[in-house]
Amino acid sequence: MTRTIDAWAQHPNARFVAQPWLSTLLRWTRQTMSEPPPVSATLAAMDEAGVDQALLCSWFGPNGPLIDNDETAAHVRAHPDRFVGVASVDLRYPVQAVRELRRAVNDLGMVALRVVPWLWNLPPDDRRYYPLLAECVELNIPFCTQIGHTGPLCPSEPGRPIPYLDTVLLEFPDLVVVGGHVGYPWIDEVLSLAMKYPNFYVDTSAYAVHRLPQGLVDYLRGPGRTRVLFGTNWPMLSAERCLRKLDELHLDDETRALFLGGNAARVFGL
């Protein structure tokens, strides 16, 4: 039986909803959000599309926590069969950030670190990331990040795969990296990294599957069958909307199962 895992979701709180960049992000999906949805809405959206588990991520930015690790952990404790926590930390304070990452993994049970480069306007080869990348290796967890252009009206350059992620993957050969949001318009750079580095993965969050770049679909059908993960970026997109035209990808049964959940289960140790 196919297990479906959403590799990138978040449950917004009031601080997250109040961010000025959120409205420019939501315009891509033609929706508004004046207040955070209840957890029941997140669960209902998962149920509608048959999503078994969602990786809920915390958010830290230059002004501090938006969704802190304890908030995310509380959702996981309330629904341990449905949610898995992904940590975030404050890049401004490297020592505290490493300690918080250790706490999030060892005490709160989180399975990965996510940093969103456009939020900081800092690409992942910036020196502020390096203590955290080394700690991810020591903790044996993936580093999750955003690749490609930004939905919000913020600079896209920090999400460019080459040279930034290329440098990280060269200097941290034991680090597992998951690039979220596909990587458009630099899809050739994304695919070149995926073919070059066996520890680099791509998730399809922020895209309905029928809108995926053809190059990524071809990679998924062929050599990338074990390297592409399904994701939504909920609540910006629902799983139902993302997967509505999944049959049009013409995936064989094994590739479909790996894409929907098998790859995420392996990468995140679920």
Side-chain angles (χ1 to χ4, degrees):
M1 183 176 180
T2 300
R3 180 183 179 194
T4 301
I5 300 171
D6 183 350
W8 184 330
Q10 46 268 309
H11 186 74
N13 58 20
R15 291 190 303 277
F16 189 91
V17 170
Q19 295 305 301
W21 45 259
L22 185 62
S23 61
T24 64
L25 174 59
L26 290 172
R27 70 184 173 83
W28 288 85
T29 53
R30 298 182 178 87
Q31 59 178 316
T32 59
M33 189 183 304
S34 58
E35 59 184 29
V39 174
S40 59
T42 297
L43 292 168
M46 293 168 62
D47 291 341
E48 182 183 19
V51 174
D52 298 287
Q53 287 181 298
L55 280 87
L56 287 187
C57 60
S58 305
W59 280 64
F60 275 74
N63 296 314
L66 301 179
I67 305 172
D68 68 38
N69 292 319
D70 289 299
E71 291 177 87
T72 299
H75 295 314
V76 174
R77 284 195 303 271
H79 304 279
D81 57 332
R82 307 302 304 277
F83 296 142
V84 180
V86 174
S88 189
V89 295
D90 196 329
L91 294 183
R92 297 174 298 175
Y93 308 110
V95 175
Q96 294 94 317
V98 168
R99 289 173 178 163
E100 175 62 12
L101 178 58
R102 289 177 189 155
R103 184 184 78 90
V105 173
N106 294 328
D107 297 347
L108 303 180
M110 296 190 169
V111 300
L113 169 69
R114 174 166 283 123
V115 180
V116 181
W118 61 259
L119 192 58
W120 294 89
N121 200 21
L122 294 172
D125 68 343
D126 184 89
R127 62 185 174 83
R128 295 165 182 84
Y129 289 77
Y130 272 47
L132 294 162
L133 301 180
E135 189 62 25
C136 285
V137 174
E138 293 301 307
L139 292 169
N140 194 29
I141 61 169
F143 169 63
C144 302
T145 191
Q146 174 267 340
I147 54 176
H149 74 93
T150 65
L153 297 179
C154 300
S156 292
E157 181 65 17
R160 182 159 192 164
I162 298 176
Y164 309 117
L165 268 185
D166 190 34
T167 300
V168 167
L169 288 158
L170 280 171
E171 297 189 347
F172 292 88
D174 298 323
L175 178 67
V176 173
V177 177
V178 181
H181 296 6
V182 172
Y184 178 84
W186 299 297
I187 193 63
D188 288 341
E189 294 185 11
V190 173
L191 295 176
S192 72
L193 293 185
M195 289 183 278
K196 181 178 180 180
Y197 299 105
N199 51 327
F200 176 60
Y201 298 82
V202 182
D203 84 46
T204 62
S205 57
Y207 280 74
V209 295
H210 66 283
R211 295 190 178 276
L212 292 174
Q214 187 59 47
L216 182 61
V217 174
D218 293 341
Y219 178 68
L220 168 60
R221 288 175 181 152
R225 61 194 295 135
T226 63
R227 306 284 292 284
V228 183
L229 286 60
F230 163 67
T232 64
N233 200 30
W234 167 266
M236 274 57 83
L237 278 176
S238 69
E240 188 281 328
R241 187 170 175 183
C242 288
L243 294 173
R244 192 178 299 163
K245 298 184 179 181
L246 177 61
D247 289 345
E248 295 182 8
L249 296 189
H250 302 294
L251 305 178
D252 64 51
D253 291 344
E254 181 184 6
T255 302
R256 184 180 178 122
L258 289 168
F259 169 61
L260 288 177
N263 292 335
R266 186 183 71 255
V267 169
F268 294 104
L270 304 183

